[in-house]
mmCIF file of all heavy atoms in Angstrom:
data_model
loop_
_atom_site.group_PDB
_atom_site.id
_atom_site.type_symbol
_atom_site.label_atom_id
_atom_site.label_comp_id
_atom_site.label_asym_id
_atom_site.label_seq_id
_atom_site.Cartn_x
_atom_site.Cartn_y
_atom_site.Cartn_z
ATOM 1 N N GLY Q 1154 0.263 -11.470 4.353
ATOM 2 C CA GLY Q 1154 -0.468 -12.239 3.387
ATOM 3 C C GLY Q 1154 -0.571 -11.371 2.127
ATOM 4 O O GLY Q 1154 0.349 -10.815 1.706
ATOM 5 N N ALA Q 1155 -1.692 -11.408 1.531
ATOM 6 C CA ALA Q 1155 -1.874 -10.585 0.356
ATOM 7 C C ALA Q 1155 -2.224 -9.111 0.809
ATOM 8 O O ALA Q 1155 -3.134 -8.824 1.475
ATOM 9 C CB ALA Q 1155 -3.082 -11.030 -0.504
ATOM 10 N N GLU Q 1156 -1.314 -8.188 0.529
ATOM 11 C CA GLU Q 1156 -1.402 -6.805 0.887
ATOM 12 C C GLU Q 1156 -2.755 -6.247 0.293
ATOM 13 O O GLU Q 1156 -2.988 -6.436 -0.847
ATOM 14 C CB GLU Q 1156 -0.304 -5.967 0.478
ATOM 15 C CG GLU Q 1156 1.016 -6.241 1.216
ATOM 16 C CD GLU Q 1156 1.830 -7.270 0.377
ATOM 17 O OE1 GLU Q 1156 1.413 -7.680 -0.677
ATOM 18 O OE2 GLU Q 1156 2.922 -7.681 0.904
ATOM 19 N N LYS Q 1157 -3.488 -5.546 1.111
ATOM 20 C CA LYS Q 1157 -4.761 -4.963 0.652
ATOM 21 C C LYS Q 1157 -4.942 -3.644 1.400
ATOM 22 O O LYS Q 1157 -4.843 -3.670 2.612
ATOM 23 C CB LYS Q 1157 -5.893 -5.920 0.864
ATOM 24 C CG LYS Q 1157 -7.247 -5.380 0.358
ATOM 25 C CD LYS Q 1157 -8.338 -6.400 0.617
ATOM 26 C CE LYS Q 1157 -9.631 -5.887 0.246
ATOM 27 N NZ LYS Q 1157 -10.780 -6.845 0.533
ATOM 28 N N ILE Q 1158 -5.263 -2.610 0.675
ATOM 29 C CA ILE Q 1158 -5.541 -1.332 1.310
ATOM 30 C C ILE Q 1158 -6.857 -0.771 0.600
ATOM 31 O O ILE Q 1158 -6.935 -0.714 -0.587
ATOM 32 C CB ILE Q 1158 -4.411 -0.306 1.093
ATOM 33 C CG1 ILE Q 1158 -3.089 -0.843 1.765
ATOM 34 C CG2 ILE Q 1158 -4.736 1.083 1.789
ATOM 35 C CD1 ILE Q 1158 -1.885 0.027 1.504
ATOM 36 N N THR Q 1159 -7.758 -0.403 1.503
ATOM 37 C CA THR Q 1159 -9.014 0.178 1.019
ATOM 38 C C THR Q 1159 -9.329 1.431 1.808
ATOM 39 O O THR Q 1159 -8.962 1.570 2.991
ATOM 40 C CB THR Q 1159 -10.162 -0.810 1.134
ATOM 41 O OG1 THR Q 1159 -10.343 -1.196 2.507
ATOM 42 C CG2 THR Q 1159 -10.062 -2.028 0.304
ATOM 43 N N TYR Q 1160 -9.966 2.286 1.151
ATOM 44 C CA TYR Q 1160 -10.517 3.512 1.834
ATOM 45 C C TYR Q 1160 -12.042 3.495 1.654
ATOM 46 O O TYR Q 1160 -12.479 3.668 0.546
ATOM 47 C CB TYR Q 1160 -9.941 4.770 1.170
ATOM 48 C CG TYR Q 1160 -10.479 6.051 1.861
ATOM 49 C CD1 TYR Q 1160 -10.088 6.310 3.211
ATOM 50 C CD2 TYR Q 1160 -11.208 6.952 1.211
ATOM 51 C CE1 TYR Q 1160 -10.510 7.434 3.855
ATOM 52 C CE2 TYR Q 1160 -11.663 8.158 1.805
ATOM 53 C CZ TYR Q 1160 -11.299 8.364 3.099
ATOM 54 O OH TYR Q 1160 -11.800 9.543 3.764
ATOM 55 N N GLY Q 1161 -12.730 3.127 2.724
ATOM 56 C CA GLY Q 1161 -14.050 2.828 2.528
ATOM 57 C C GLY Q 1161 -14.284 1.578 1.771
ATOM 58 O O GLY Q 1161 -13.688 0.545 2.028
ATOM 59 N N ASP Q 1162 -14.966 1.657 0.598
ATOM 60 C CA ASP Q 1162 -15.175 0.592 -0.319
ATOM 61 C C ASP Q 1162 -14.195 0.716 -1.460
ATOM 62 O O ASP Q 1162 -14.245 -0.175 -2.399
ATOM 63 C CB ASP Q 1162 -16.608 0.518 -0.855
ATOM 64 C CG ASP Q 1162 -17.566 0.227 0.275
ATOM 65 O OD1 ASP Q 1162 -17.190 -0.515 1.230
ATOM 66 O OD2 ASP Q 1162 -18.736 0.698 0.277
ATOM 67 N N THR Q 1163 -13.390 1.739 -1.566
ATOM 68 C CA THR Q 1163 -12.502 1.934 -2.693
ATOM 69 C C THR Q 1163 -11.172 1.340 -2.511
ATOM 70 O O THR Q 1163 -10.452 1.708 -1.534
ATOM 71 C CB THR Q 1163 -12.270 3.484 -2.943
ATOM 72 O OG1 THR Q 1163 -13.563 4.099 -2.994
ATOM 73 C CG2 THR Q 1163 -11.457 3.727 -4.108
ATOM 74 N N PRO Q 1164 -10.777 0.424 -3.379
ATOM 75 C CA PRO Q 1164 -9.443 -0.198 -3.211
ATOM 76 C C PRO Q 1164 -8.316 0.791 -3.619
ATOM 77 O O PRO Q 1164 -8.506 1.491 -4.671
ATOM 78 C CB PRO Q 1164 -9.466 -1.421 -4.156
ATOM 79 C CG PRO Q 1164 -10.582 -1.105 -5.137
ATOM 80 C CD PRO Q 1164 -11.517 -0.202 -4.438
ATOM 81 N N ILE Q 1165 -7.303 0.959 -2.782
ATOM 82 C CA ILE Q 1165 -6.177 1.725 -3.101
ATOM 83 C C ILE Q 1165 -5.016 0.793 -3.689
ATOM 84 O O ILE Q 1165 -4.308 1.125 -4.507
ATOM 85 C CB ILE Q 1165 -5.691 2.488 -1.900
ATOM 86 C CG1 ILE Q 1165 -6.792 3.496 -1.510
ATOM 87 C CG2 ILE Q 1165 -4.391 3.193 -2.099
ATOM 88 C CD1 ILE Q 1165 -6.477 4.241 -0.167
ATOM 89 N N LEU Q 1166 -4.990 -0.329 -3.036
ATOM 90 C CA LEU Q 1166 -4.014 -1.354 -3.409
ATOM 91 C C LEU Q 1166 -4.604 -2.654 -3.837
ATOM 92 O O LEU Q 1166 -5.520 -3.144 -3.139
ATOM 93 C CB LEU Q 1166 -3.044 -1.619 -2.243
ATOM 94 C CG LEU Q 1166 -2.003 -2.693 -2.376
ATOM 95 C CD1 LEU Q 1166 -1.026 -2.387 -3.437
ATOM 96 C CD2 LEU Q 1166 -1.300 -2.937 -1.049
ATOM 97 N N GLY Q 1167 -4.137 -3.103 -4.910
ATOM 98 C CA GLY Q 1167 -4.694 -4.366 -5.386
ATOM 99 C C GLY Q 1167 -4.589 -4.458 -6.929
ATOM 100 O O GLY Q 1167 -4.314 -3.418 -7.597
ATOM 101 N N GLY Q 1168 -4.688 -5.629 -7.453
ATOM 102 C CA GLY Q 1168 -4.561 -5.760 -8.908
ATOM 103 C C GLY Q 1168 -3.196 -5.340 -9.420
ATOM 104 O O GLY Q 1168 -2.194 -5.592 -8.720
ATOM 105 N N ARG Q 1169 -3.112 -4.730 -10.609
ATOM 106 C CA ARG Q 1169 -1.857 -4.309 -11.116
ATOM 107 C C ARG Q 1169 -1.197 -3.221 -10.316
ATOM 108 O O ARG Q 1169 0.045 -2.979 -10.507
ATOM 109 C CB ARG Q 1169 -1.952 -4.013 -12.621
ATOM 110 C CG ARG Q 1169 -2.835 -2.799 -12.907
ATOM 111 C CD ARG Q 1169 -2.951 -2.569 -14.359
ATOM 112 N NE ARG Q 1169 -3.554 -1.267 -14.579
ATOM 113 C CZ ARG Q 1169 -2.953 -0.237 -15.064
ATOM 114 N NH1 ARG Q 1169 -1.669 -0.360 -15.444
ATOM 115 N NH2 ARG Q 1169 -3.582 0.904 -15.184
ATOM 116 N N ASN Q 1170 -1.922 -2.394 -9.562
ATOM 117 C CA ASN Q 1170 -1.360 -1.388 -8.832
ATOM 118 C C ASN Q 1170 -0.351 -1.902 -7.704
ATOM 119 O O ASN Q 1170 0.410 -1.143 -7.181
ATOM 120 C CB ASN Q 1170 -2.418 -0.515 -8.064
ATOM 121 C CG ASN Q 1170 -2.987 0.523 -8.988
ATOM 122 O OD1 ASN Q 1170 -2.469 0.770 -10.082
ATOM 123 N ND2 ASN Q 1170 -4.129 1.062 -8.581
ATOM 124 N N SER Q 1171 -0.503 -3.118 -7.343
ATOM 125 C CA SER Q 1171 0.263 -3.664 -6.231
ATOM 126 C C SER Q 1171 1.755 -3.844 -6.582
ATOM 127 O O SER Q 1171 2.529 -4.099 -5.617
ATOM 128 C CB SER Q 1171 -0.269 -5.025 -5.726
ATOM 129 O OG SER Q 1171 -0.221 -5.972 -6.787
ATOM 130 N N VAL Q 1172 2.153 -3.646 -7.742
ATOM 131 C CA VAL Q 1172 3.637 -3.839 -8.116
ATOM 132 C C VAL Q 1172 4.292 -2.491 -8.394
ATOM 133 O O VAL Q 1172 5.458 -2.487 -8.800
ATOM 134 C CB VAL Q 1172 3.765 -4.757 -9.288
ATOM 135 C CG1 VAL Q 1172 3.298 -6.209 -8.857
ATOM 136 C CG2 VAL Q 1172 3.031 -4.360 -10.488
ATOM 137 N N THR Q 1173 3.560 -1.319 -8.253
ATOM 138 C CA THR Q 1173 4.196 -0.073 -8.690
ATOM 139 C C THR Q 1173 5.151 0.390 -7.519
ATOM 140 O O THR Q 1173 5.010 -0.074 -6.350
ATOM 141 C CB THR Q 1173 3.139 0.978 -8.895
ATOM 142 O OG1 THR Q 1173 2.454 1.307 -7.645
ATOM 143 C CG2 THR Q 1173 2.110 0.596 -9.918
ATOM 144 N N LYS Q 1174 6.095 1.264 -7.834
ATOM 145 C CA LYS Q 1174 7.002 1.831 -6.793
ATOM 146 C C LYS Q 1174 6.132 2.656 -5.860
ATOM 147 O O LYS Q 1174 6.467 2.670 -4.639
ATOM 148 C CB LYS Q 1174 8.034 2.645 -7.519
ATOM 149 C CG LYS Q 1174 8.982 1.973 -8.357
ATOM 150 C CD LYS Q 1174 9.973 1.198 -7.539
ATOM 151 C CE LYS Q 1174 11.113 0.649 -8.535
ATOM 152 N NZ LYS Q 1174 11.693 -0.436 -7.821
ATOM 153 N N ALA Q 1175 5.152 3.354 -6.293
ATOM 154 C CA ALA Q 1175 4.337 4.203 -5.404
ATOM 155 C C ALA Q 1175 3.683 3.325 -4.363
ATOM 156 O O ALA Q 1175 3.636 3.687 -3.138
ATOM 157 C CB ALA Q 1175 3.294 5.046 -6.190
ATOM 158 N N THR Q 1176 3.199 2.124 -4.775
ATOM 159 C CA THR Q 1176 2.510 1.275 -3.868
ATOM 160 C C THR Q 1176 3.565 0.680 -2.909
ATOM 161 O O THR Q 1176 3.294 0.616 -1.662
ATOM 162 C CB THR Q 1176 1.831 0.144 -4.603
ATOM 163 O OG1 THR Q 1176 0.815 0.717 -5.450
ATOM 164 C CG2 THR Q 1176 1.133 -0.786 -3.591
ATOM 165 N N LYS Q 1177 4.735 0.397 -3.398
ATOM 166 C CA LYS Q 1177 5.781 -0.176 -2.522
ATOM 167 C C LYS Q 1177 6.141 0.914 -1.477
ATOM 168 O O LYS Q 1177 6.378 0.546 -0.312
ATOM 169 C CB LYS Q 1177 7.019 -0.587 -3.345
ATOM 170 C CG LYS Q 1177 8.106 -1.327 -2.553
ATOM 171 C CD LYS Q 1177 9.182 -1.805 -3.461
ATOM 172 C CE LYS Q 1177 10.215 -2.506 -2.570
ATOM 173 N NZ LYS Q 1177 11.348 -3.020 -3.463
ATOM 174 N N LEU Q 1178 6.315 2.148 -1.961
ATOM 175 C CA LEU Q 1178 6.577 3.216 -1.030
ATOM 176 C C LEU Q 1178 5.507 3.406 0.058
ATOM 177 O O LEU Q 1178 5.829 3.563 1.233
ATOM 178 C CB LEU Q 1178 6.691 4.571 -1.831
ATOM 179 C CG LEU Q 1178 6.803 5.843 -1.014
ATOM 180 C CD1 LEU Q 1178 8.100 5.734 -0.111
ATOM 181 C CD2 LEU Q 1178 6.909 7.065 -1.854
ATOM 182 N N LEU Q 1179 4.197 3.316 -0.357
ATOM 183 C CA LEU Q 1179 3.179 3.315 0.585
ATOM 184 C C LEU Q 1179 3.245 2.181 1.663
ATOM 185 O O LEU Q 1179 3.140 2.483 2.836
ATOM 186 C CB LEU Q 1179 1.822 3.282 -0.151
ATOM 187 C CG LEU Q 1179 0.562 3.211 0.841
ATOM 188 C CD1 LEU Q 1179 0.378 4.544 1.696
ATOM 189 C CD2 LEU Q 1179 -0.735 3.004 -0.101
ATOM 190 N N LEU Q 1180 3.526 1.030 1.240
ATOM 191 C CA LEU Q 1180 3.622 -0.096 2.129
ATOM 192 C C LEU Q 1180 4.863 0.094 3.132
ATOM 193 O O LEU Q 1180 4.715 -0.190 4.322
ATOM 194 C CB LEU Q 1180 3.747 -1.432 1.356
ATOM 195 C CG LEU Q 1180 2.520 -1.920 0.653
ATOM 196 C CD1 LEU Q 1180 2.847 -3.054 -0.239
ATOM 197 C CD2 LEU Q 1180 1.336 -2.157 1.593
ATOM 198 N N ILE Q 1181 5.958 0.598 2.631
ATOM 199 C CA ILE Q 1181 7.130 0.808 3.471
ATOM 200 C C ILE Q 1181 6.715 1.886 4.500
ATOM 201 O O ILE Q 1181 7.071 1.668 5.745
ATOM 202 C CB ILE Q 1181 8.317 1.315 2.656
ATOM 203 C CG1 ILE Q 1181 8.788 0.119 1.750
ATOM 204 C CG2 ILE Q 1181 9.380 1.849 3.590
ATOM 205 C CD1 ILE Q 1181 9.824 0.559 0.749
ATOM 206 N N LEU Q 1182 6.156 2.972 4.082
ATOM 207 C CA LEU Q 1182 5.780 4.028 5.064
ATOM 208 C C LEU Q 1182 4.745 3.587 6.107
ATOM 209 O O LEU Q 1182 4.921 3.922 7.334
ATOM 210 C CB LEU Q 1182 5.279 5.248 4.318
ATOM 211 C CG LEU Q 1182 6.303 5.987 3.476
ATOM 212 C CD1 LEU Q 1182 5.689 7.061 2.617
ATOM 213 C CD2 LEU Q 1182 7.403 6.602 4.336
ATOM 214 N N LEU Q 1183 3.790 2.822 5.696
ATOM 215 C CA LEU Q 1183 2.818 2.307 6.612
ATOM 216 C C LEU Q 1183 3.427 1.332 7.604
ATOM 217 O O LEU Q 1183 3.139 1.332 8.843
ATOM 218 C CB LEU Q 1183 1.677 1.637 5.866
ATOM 219 C CG LEU Q 1183 0.685 2.515 5.110
ATOM 220 C CD1 LEU Q 1183 -0.254 1.794 4.221
ATOM 221 C CD2 LEU Q 1183 -0.018 3.504 6.066
ATOM 222 N N TYR Q 1184 4.307 0.458 7.089
ATOM 223 C CA TYR Q 1184 4.922 -0.556 7.921
ATOM 224 C C TYR Q 1184 5.845 0.175 8.961
ATOM 225 O O TYR Q 1184 5.915 -0.234 10.128
ATOM 226 C CB TYR Q 1184 5.777 -1.460 7.140
ATOM 227 C CG TYR Q 1184 6.471 -2.556 7.925
ATOM 228 C CD1 TYR Q 1184 5.782 -3.617 8.449
ATOM 229 C CD2 TYR Q 1184 7.807 -2.441 8.181
ATOM 230 C CE1 TYR Q 1184 6.411 -4.531 9.218
ATOM 231 C CE2 TYR Q 1184 8.531 -3.457 8.958
ATOM 232 C CZ TYR Q 1184 7.752 -4.443 9.482
ATOM 233 O OH TYR Q 1184 8.391 -5.403 10.248
ATOM 234 N N ARG Q 1185 6.557 1.180 8.598
ATOM 235 C CA ARG Q 1185 7.475 1.855 9.476
ATOM 236 C C ARG Q 1185 6.790 2.755 10.505
ATOM 237 O O ARG Q 1185 7.298 3.094 11.524
ATOM 238 C CB ARG Q 1185 8.562 2.643 8.687
ATOM 239 C CG ARG Q 1185 9.418 1.810 7.793
ATOM 240 C CD ARG Q 1185 10.213 0.763 8.515
ATOM 241 N NE ARG Q 1185 11.271 1.417 9.296
ATOM 242 C CZ ARG Q 1185 12.530 1.170 9.269
ATOM 243 N NH1 ARG Q 1185 12.944 0.161 8.501
ATOM 244 N NH2 ARG Q 1185 13.404 1.786 9.960
ATOM 245 N N GLY Q 1186 5.587 3.253 10.140
ATOM 246 C CA GLY Q 1186 4.755 4.055 11.019
ATOM 247 C C GLY Q 1186 5.471 5.310 11.624
ATOM 248 O O GLY Q 1186 6.173 5.967 10.863
ATOM 249 N N SER Q 1187 5.223 5.518 12.840
ATOM 250 C CA SER Q 1187 5.856 6.658 13.552
ATOM 251 C C SER Q 1187 7.377 6.660 13.691
ATOM 252 O O SER Q 1187 8.012 7.633 13.900
ATOM 253 C CB SER Q 1187 5.078 7.017 14.832
ATOM 254 O OG SER Q 1187 5.438 5.920 15.684
ATOM 255 N N GLU Q 1188 7.908 5.431 13.538
ATOM 256 C CA GLU Q 1188 9.364 5.287 13.669
ATOM 257 C C GLU Q 1188 10.047 5.933 12.433
ATOM 258 O O GLU Q 1188 11.100 6.444 12.477
ATOM 259 C CB GLU Q 1188 9.697 3.775 13.679
ATOM 260 C CG GLU Q 1188 11.085 3.513 13.563
ATOM 261 C CD GLU Q 1188 11.394 1.983 13.482
ATOM 262 O OE1 GLU Q 1188 10.560 1.200 14.034
ATOM 263 O OE2 GLU Q 1188 12.332 1.580 12.796
#
């Protein structure tokens, strides 16, 4: 759905940050996990 990453109450992903290469990299790494 709408990707969302928070650390406690602090958003890491959302708003205009959601389109950056760094955010895309984070999503790829999280999705791939230990693989």
